[in-house]
Amino acid sequence: MTGTEVDFAVAALRVIAGLTMAAHGLNKFFGGGRIPGTGRWFDSIGMRPGRVHALLAAGTETAAGLLLAVGLLTPFAGAAFVALMAVASYTVHRGSGFFVNANGWEYNLVLATIGVFVATAGPGEWSLDHLAGLAPSIDGWPGLAISLIGGLLAAALQLAFFYRPSNTQAG
């Protein structure tokens, strides 16, 4: 396999996963119940205040998805993927098992893993990080640490400060 083939494969993975994440964010802004409805849903799962978390989730999903898609600040986009998916796994999917068809955390794991993989492997030559000269300095172990540890730390802090399920949700 040549470098060009690897760059193509990484770019395709970045673009597909990034635009998928961005679509989830844009759907919170413009689909269904929009931010008010998403805010009520966040309140119902214990992420309070719901409207604030709806705006943060929608904005972070959109921005992180677009950043990953173009390969800009890739480890930080990867960290956002990990944080978003860890919070979703814990608050929504943890009691449903692994498989997504039963509302499990399978899909969350796949997106978080893609964020860590791209941050560690690097976004490839077909990226804005490469064009800006950032890629060599933030790939590899630094990319792994930023995306995985940073993402898990951000998720833990968000849950510690804002996850307040009702007594029926906690039980």
Side-chain angles (χ1 to χ4, degrees):
M1 190 177 318
T2 67
T4 301
E5 292 165 330
V6 171
D7 287 323
F8 171 78
V10 171
L13 181 64
R14 275 194 354 258
V15 169
I16 291 167
L19 293 181
T20 298
M21 181 68 79
H24 278 270
L26 292 171
N27 189 55
K28 286 176 176 62
F29 280 122
F30 304 111
R34 296 188 170 78
I35 294 299
T38 304
R40 287 188 298 275
W41 179 73
F42 271 104
D43 276 328
S44 79
I45 64 168
M47 289 302 294
R48 296 189 172 87
R51 180 174 175 76
V52 170
H53 288 285
L55 288 166
L56 287 172
T60 304
E61 287 172 354
T62 303
L66 294 175
L67 287 172
L68 194 77
V70 299
L72 180 61
L73 303 173
T74 304
F76 299 100
F81 269 55
V82 170
L84 287 160
M85 295 300 98
V87 170
S89 292
Y90 189 80
T91 59
V92 179
H93 305 285
R94 80 176 183 275
S96 301
F98 178 72
F99 294 104
V100 71
N101 63 327
N103 199 36
W105 46 270
E106 170 185 15
Y107 176 73
N108 306 109
L109 177 64
V110 170
L111 284 180
T113 301
I114 290 170
V116 173
F117 170 83
V118 174
T120 304
E125 287 192 23
W126 301 355
S127 68
L128 294 181
D129 279 347
H130 179 76
L131 189 65
L134 297 173
S137 62
I138 58 175
D139 296 351
W141 294 115
L144 174 68
I146 292 167
S147 63
L148 184 59
I149 297 168
L152 290 175
L153 181 61
L157 289 171
Q158 185 178 15
L159 289 168
F161 285 106
F162 300 107
Y163 183 56
R164 301 291 178 258
S166 67
N167 289 339
T168 57
Q169 290 168 321

